Every structure is written in structure tokens, then in C-alpha cells.
């Protein structure tokens, strides 16, 4: 296992904050931040161990005050703990850098309550000198391309233009199992004429291929698949997906749930018609897979794509069942 780098939660915010600085303002522990940024940019999946000083049962991981910034002990204690509380994380946990940065960017949209001073504050709660600078909020805009591994839009569009035509040349489509459900969601009962290919993935292209050739073989594969290359979550270097915090985990869970319900395994090859007839016979609705059966979000890594607390799942599934995805040979469930 790759050695994790110890990180105080506030340092991730400061990395984002520095990206938005106007002039060469000096940040505390600048060299440490430089080294952290370099390590993340060298390996987006670099494990980061979140450590902060606490007085509870979690004190086993206390890092000491060496990296406390000069605003004072209480400010430092509260800043780290507030970050973890907002993100639903606990100290002593290790996460891949790219997932963690996406969580910060998605969940911590401003720094005022974390780094700033409350009204009528006494000296020890004055907060960070950059809290009202706007640096953090500006840094958020570029944080994902600078630190989080998202390829610039121009690169993703070039990838789409290069890989979309290749999709039509494959004799066998290699698809991760739960993407077969994403195709139902994407179509939402419409015809392809009512939709457009999108820049983010190849769902449209695969649907078009299956409608034109219902017997095209589909091989079920693990992890990111032919649909993924232009996606903002896909890292071509590692071949992993981190479109959001824990995305790779919940996608794998959905893949395994799909295989289990269909009675299949990775490597199996079935035609598009055979696969969708099995799906509509054996899967009740999206909640069975995309809602992890309960439709409850059990933590920051386990969001529910089919609609939180919506046990019936999205209507797109039932629309897909009715129209058989307009793929000739798929049984239409008209009831
Ligand atoms: S305001 Fe200060 S503590 Fe907050 S992220 Fe910026 S530099 Fe870090
Ligand atoms: S990279 Fe991830 S989010 Fe993007 S299409 Fe693939 S599995 Fe889905």
C-alpha cells in the first residue's frame, strides 16, 4: 500500500485558497503546502491521512501542534473539526487525494464560518488573515483542474471527438454492468431523435449502436469502460473514476449488485437484447441497484443516484420498460 501523507484538514482548504490569491501573499507553512501540492499533482490517487488534535476517543491520531497556524490553539482546534463535521468525515481516516479534493470543492463553498471571525469576536477568535480576501472562493473555480485531476474541457472535448467514432467500429462492446442502467436513465423513454450525443460520455452512442444492431455482443467488464473516456471523472493515467467523492466505490457496488441480480459475472458476453430482457425481468426499479435497495445515503461516499429516500426510483426505468429502449427484440412491458 502506498504510504499516506499526513494532512491537517485545514491544509486542503489552504491549498485551494492559494490558487485564488491575487498577489504573492504569503501563506503559513508555504513549503509544506508546496510539497503537498506537488505530491498530489504527481499522483492524484495519493492517499492522504487526515489528522487533527481532538480531546476525545479519536485522540489516538493527534498530530501535535507543529502545524498550528499563529491565530491560536482554539481557532486551530475548531477550524479542523468544523471542516470534518461539514464533510461527514472523522480524523484518522485515509482517502485518495482526488476524491478528497472533490469533496472539499463540492461541499465547502465558502470559508467564512470555518476560517473567519464571528461578529464582535475577541482576539483569539479573529480568524485567518485571508478569510475575507475571497481567495478561497476564487480558488474553488480552478481547484479541480489544478489539484483534483479534472482534464480541462478542451481536452475532454478532443477526447470525445476522437473516441466517439471509434465506438461504431467495435465488434464487441465492453460495458461495466451498471452503465446498462445509466443507458435507461439517459434515454428516459424518449427516442434518440429527441436526444443529442453529450460531451461527457458515450451513452448516446451505445444506445444508437444497440438500436441498429440489437444482437451486438456486450462483454461485462469491471471499472470504467468504453462509455467513460471523455467523462470529467475519468483519469486516463490510472484508468480510475473519481467523478465525486467515493464514486468509484459506489459504482463498483452498483456493478456487483447488477451482476448479482442478473445472475452474471464479469467477462460474460450476451447480446444487447438478451441483457435488457434479463434486466427488465429481474430488476424491479433503479432503487434495487442505484439506491442500494433502501434509497438511504449512509455517508458522504454513498450518495443515492436514483433519488434519496425515493424507494420507487426514477420514472425513466418504467419508461424504459415500456418502450424497450426502442431496441428491436426487447420485450415491451406495457402494463
Ligand atoms: S482563509 Fe486562511 S485558513 Fe482559510 S483556507 Fe484561506 S489561508 Fe487557509
Ligand atoms: S468515468 Fe465514472 S462517472 Fe464517468 S461515465 Fe465512467 S463510471 Fe460514470
Amino acid at each position: 500500500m502506498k504510504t499516506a501523507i499526513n494532512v491537517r484538514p485545514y491544509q486542503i482548504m489552504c491549498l485551494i485558497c492559494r490558487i485564488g490569491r491575487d498577489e504573492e501573499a504569503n501563506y503559513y507553512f508555504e513549503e509544506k503546502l508546496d510539497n503537498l501540492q506537488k505530491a498530489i499533482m504527481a499522483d492524484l490517487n495519493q492517499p492522504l491521512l487526515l489528522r487533527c488534535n481532538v480531546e476525545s476517543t479519536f485522540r489516538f491520531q493527534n498530530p501535535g501542534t507543529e502545524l498550528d497556524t499563529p491565530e491560536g490553539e482554539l481557532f486551530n482546534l475548531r477550524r479542523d473539526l468544523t471542516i470534518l463535521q461539514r464533510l461527514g468525515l472523522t480524523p484518522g481516516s485515509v482517502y485518495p487525494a482526488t476524491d478528497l479534493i472533490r469533496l472539499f470543492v463540492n461541499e465547502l463553498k465558502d470559508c467564512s464560518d470555518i476560517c473567519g471571525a464571528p461578529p464582535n469576536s475577541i482576539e483569539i477568535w479573529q480568524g485567518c488573515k485571508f478569510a475575507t480576501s475571497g481567495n478561497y472562493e476564487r480558488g474553488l473555480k480552478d481547484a479541480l483542474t489544478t489539484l483534483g485531476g479534472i482534464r480541462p474541457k478542451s481536452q475532454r472535448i478532443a477526447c470525445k471527438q476522437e473516441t466517439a467514432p471509434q465506438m461504431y467500429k467495435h465488434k464487441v462492446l465492453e460495458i461495466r454492468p451498471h452503465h446498462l442502467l445509466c443507458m435507461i436513465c439517459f434515454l428516459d423513454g424518449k427516442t434518440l431523435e429527441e436526444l443529442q450525443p453529450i460531451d461527457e460520455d458515450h451513452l448516446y452512442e451505445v444506445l444508437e449502436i444497440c438500436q441498429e444492431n440489437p444482437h451486438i455482443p456486450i462483454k461485462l467488464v469491471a471499472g470504467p469502460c468504453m462509455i467513460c473516456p471523455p467523462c470529467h471523472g475519468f483519469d486516463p493515467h490510472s484508468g480510475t473514476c473519481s467523478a465525486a467523492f467515493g464514486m468509484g466505490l459506489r459504482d463498483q457496488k452498483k456493478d456487483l449488485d447488477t451482476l448479482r441480480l442478473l445472475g452474471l459475472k464479469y467477462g460474460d458476453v450476451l447480446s444487447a437484447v438478451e441483457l435488457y430482457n434479463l434486466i427488465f425481468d429481474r430488476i424491479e426499479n433503479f432503487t434495487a441497484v442505484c439506491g442500494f435497495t433502501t434509497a438511504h445515503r449512509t455517508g458522504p461516499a454513498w450518495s443515492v443516484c436514483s433519488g434519496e429516500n425515493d424507494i420507487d426510483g426514477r420514472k425513466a426505468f418504467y419508461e424504459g420498460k415500456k418502450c424497450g429502449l426502442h431496441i428491436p427484440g426487447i420485450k415491451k412491458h406495457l402494463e
Side-chain angles (χ1 to χ4, degrees):
M1 192 170 97
K2 186 160 184 181
T3 308
I5 297 176
N6 290 328
V7 177
R8 290 273 295 269
Y10 86 81
Q11 290 181 294
I12 310 264
M13 283 192 76
C14 296
L15 278 184
I16 296 170
C17 197
R18 287 200 317 172
I19 295 171
R21 65 181 156 192
D22 276 340
E23 71 294 339
E24 286 299 299
N26 284 329
Y27 278 60
Y28 299 120
F29 303 111
E30 192 93 52
E31 201 183 324
K32 299 254 184 229
L33 292 177
D34 286 343
N35 290 340
L36 181 58
Q37 181 160 341
K38 257 188 237 153
I40 292 172
M41 289 168 75
D43 177 7
L44 297 170
N45 298 330
Q46 167 65 50
L48 301 180
L49 167 56
L50 290 176
R51 295 180 65 183
C52 62
N53 295 307
V54 293
E55 62 202 13
S56 62
T57 48
F58 281 84
R59 65 189 172 200
F60 66 87
Q61 53 71 52
N62 282 8
T65 55
E66 190 194 341
L67 288 178
D68 272 10
T69 50
E71 298 87 353
E73 184 192 356
L74 293 185
F75 170 79
N76 273 272
L77 290 173
R78 180 191 177 271
R79 179 176 52 184
D80 280 339
L81 212 47
T82 304
I83 294 168
L84 294 184
Q85 180 274 326
R86 291 276 195 89
L87 300 180
L89 305 178
T90 50
S93 307
V94 184
Y95 301 99
T98 181
D99 287 56
L100 203 54
I101 286 159
R102 285 173 204 243
L103 188 65
F104 274 70
V105 170
N106 290 335
E107 299 296 327
L108 301 180
K109 295 293 186 197
D110 84 84
C111 72
S112 53
D113 179 53
I114 297 169
C115 317
N120 310 314
S121 140
I122 62 170
E123 196 185 337
I124 58 164
W125 293 111
Q126 284 301 311
C128 174
K129 59 187 174 180
F130 295 118
T132 55
S133 65
N135 288 0
Y136 179 78
E137 291 72 17
R138 268 192 298 280
L140 281 175
K141 293 193 190 85
D142 293 325
L144 290 181
T145 41
T146 308
L147 302 169
I150 288 192
R151 290 166 290 166
K153 190 151 194 213
S154 55
Q155 269 184 36
R156 287 184 278 127
I157 291 194
C159 173
K160 171 79 186 186
Q161 285 165 352
E162 187 192 328
T163 52
Q166 292 165 7
M167 293 297 291
Y168 295 87
K169 296 182 185 151
H170 295 296
K171 299 267 185 285
V172 177
L173 296 175
E174 296 191 357
I175 309 283
R176 68 183 308 169
H178 90 273
H179 271 168
L180 297 167
L181 302 187
C182 299
M183 284 161 62
I184 304 173
C185 221
F186 177 80
L187 195 71
D188 196 13
K190 298 188 176 74
T191 61
L192 278 185
E193 290 68 38
E194 295 174 276
L195 297 169
Q196 296 285 328
I198 57 171
D199 291 338
E200 274 295 307
D201 56 47
H202 294 322
L203 285 173
Y204 181 98
E205 287 77 3
V206 174
L207 274 162
E208 190 172 48
I209 292 165
C210 293
Q211 288 184 3
E212 282 170 9
N213 180 6
H215 296 288
I216 183 148
I218 297 180
K219 182 174 180 186
L220 299 170
V221 296
C225 68
M226 284 178 173
I227 286 175
C228 302
C231 178
H232 72 281
F234 183 62
D235 172 25
H237 301 293
S238 63
T240 55
C241 161
S242 59
F245 182 75
M247 186 78 156
L249 297 178
R250 50 186 182 272
D251 279 355
Q252 183 181 3
K253 162 84 172 130
K254 290 179 207 173
D255 287 339
L256 294 168
D257 284 344
T258 306
L259 290 175
R260 176 175 173 266
L261 290 171
L262 300 186
L264 297 172
K265 58 186 185 317
Y266 290 127
D268 282 347
V269 182
L270 284 85
S271 71
V273 168
E274 286 171 315
L275 269 173
Y276 276 105
N277 278 332
L278 258 186
I279 286 172
F280 290 133
D281 277 347
R282 296 198 181 177
I283 296 181
E284 207 173 316
N285 66 43
F286 285 131
T287 310
V289 173
C290 314
F292 311 122
T293 69
T294 61
H296 288 154
R297 180 182 182 275
T298 53
W302 300 104
S303 60
V304 176
C305 185
S306 56
E308 206 173 331
N309 298 320
D310 179 3
I311 207 74
D312 294 327
R314 290 195 187 144
K315 77 169 180 29
F317 189 82
Y318 308 105
E319 297 297 329
K321 253 182 144 169
K322 269 193 240 161
C323 71
L325 303 187
H326 307 296
I327 297 176
I330 293 182
K331 186 175 141 207
K332 294 183 182 165
H333 296 251
L334 296 172
E335 69 281 2

